[in-house]
Amino acid sequence: MDNFKKWKDFLLPYKFALDELQTKINIIAEEAKFMNDYNPMEHIKTRLKTPQSIMQKLKRKNIEPTLDNAKMKLFDIAGLRIVCPFTTDIYIIHHQLLKRTDINVVEVKDYIRFPKPNGYQSLHMIIEVPITLSTGVEHVYAEIQLRTLAMDFWASIEHKIFYKYGKAIPAYLEKELKEAAHTANLMDVKMKRIHEEVKSIKQENDDEVYLYLQQP
Ligand code: 0O2
């Protein structure tokens, strides 16, 4: 079998897993909008790791770069990122995913409560998705990353600059990176507080209008 066909066959179930997951996540968002008039997700992004990136990751982890090892030892070949307005939304979606019976949550890495040393924050969920193919059911691993907009801003820029830089980052830059993550975190906290205050002002106004309308 030529190399291209081999990779195409290997990656196909991961693509299907992403298609299925995306549909499930869209339904969660649609239902929330319908029930609460609020969407806990800003945007969703999916990506399949490239063959080159799969092999590089195996080598980085000192694992022999074979397709079998990729299948058994890498859990983020299929990746889905959910970017939320607020941290509270992340944990709400996380709980909804934990309750589902059509996927199996294998591992949760909470880099929000316990950020990485460089300041990276996100909630990672490794899940197993059953995919029904003509040949039978295949169980495929996928990684869901949940982040706020501020965390995503930090992580996306950091990924461009440093992630996989391959060398030790100078200490003063590492410190600045951490400070930037802290600033992103402060912004999350501030925006959440403003949101809560606006909600309570709106509630007071609605209550006043209601009482006014109740008057004889
Ligand atoms: P890419 O290019 O995004 O695909 P481990 O549990 O440590 O053995 P792993 O898989 O490295 O193995 O787990 P981890 O730490 O949960 O990282 C998984 C993914 O999270 C990474 O995938 C990144 O997408 C993201 N990530 C983790 N740490 C950082 C970080 O410090 N900065 C940024 N920007 N992203 C991070 P890949 O395959 O490493 O990279």
Side-chain angles (χ1 to χ4, degrees):
M1 205 190 306
D2 71 60
N3 210 28
F4 179 73
K5 169 92 174 69
K6 190 179 72 180
W7 275 107
K8 219 172 132 195
D9 287 356
F10 177 79
L11 288 172
L12 200 60
Y14 291 97
K15 186 209 171 284
F16 294 152
L18 284 180
D19 292 344
E20 291 226 355
L21 272 179
Q22 183 136 30
T23 305
K24 293 180 204 302
I25 305 285
N26 283 341
I27 291 173
I28 295 178
E30 286 294 321
E31 192 194 7
K33 272 193 271 180
F34 183 77
M35 305 286 280
N36 312 319
D37 202 18
Y38 174 76
N39 187 353
M41 301 176 210
E42 274 300 321
H43 55 260
I44 302 166
K45 206 168 140 185
T46 59
R47 73 104 180 83
L48 267 185
K49 257 192 188 303
T50 59
Q52 193 195 13
S53 172
I54 292 172
M55 289 305 163
Q56 275 171 358
K57 186 157 186 170
L58 285 170
K59 283 184 198 152
R60 207 164 77 222
K61 287 172 161 267
N62 286 323
I63 300 170
E64 196 195 341
T66 64
L67 285 185
D68 277 348
N69 281 341
K71 188 172 175 175
M72 301 310 294
K73 309 246 167 78
L74 293 189
F75 305 115
D76 65 343
I77 291 173
L80 187 142
R81 183 172 298 150
I82 305 172
V83 177
C84 303
F86 305 110
T87 308
T88 40
D89 300 319
I90 292 176
Y91 288 101
I92 289 169
I93 300 166
H94 169 238
H95 280 288
Q96 294 203 8
L97 292 171
L98 283 177
K99 277 193 306 191
R100 293 187 78 102
T101 51
D102 54 354
I103 55 174
N104 181 27
V105 178
V106 178
E107 193 184 357
V108 176
K109 297 186 206 167
D110 193 344
Y111 297 125
I112 297 176
R113 294 217 166 97
F114 308 101
K116 286 201 166 183
N118 61 359
Y120 176 78
Q121 283 192 299
S122 280
L123 184 79
H124 291 189
M125 299 179 77
I126 307 294
I127 54 166
E128 205 182 33
V129 194
I131 302 296
T132 308
L133 301 169
S134 60
T135 46
V137 177
E138 229 183 273
H139 293 266
V140 174
Y141 289 118
E143 181 184 72
I144 299 183
Q145 296 181 349
L146 292 134
R147 306 173 171 169
T148 62
L149 283 160
M151 292 169 196
D152 191 49
F153 169 72
W154 183 96
S156 301
I157 306 280
E158 190 267 354
H159 194 279
K160 278 195 179 67
I161 315 175
F162 288 121
Y163 197 57
K164 299 176 181 173
Y165 171 62
K167 292 184 225 156
I169 297 167
Y172 75 99
L173 288 179
E174 182 137 15
K175 187 170 163 274
E176 287 199 60
L177 202 60
K178 236 178 167 158
E179 281 165 8
H182 181 62
T183 308
N185 193 247
L186 290 180
M187 189 128 96
D188 268 338
V189 172
K190 196 170 205 148
M191 295 309 278
K192 177 69 184 164
R193 188 183 50 74
I194 294 171
H195 180 62
E196 290 303 326
E197 283 198 25
V198 170
K199 271 202 305 192
S200 89
I201 294 168
K202 186 175 177 305
Q203 186 60 51
E204 277 170 29
N205 290 346
D206 289 352
D207 290 348
E208 276 172 27
V209 172
Y210 178 77
L211 288 174
Y212 176 77
L213 291 173
Q214 294 298 308
Q215 281 173 8

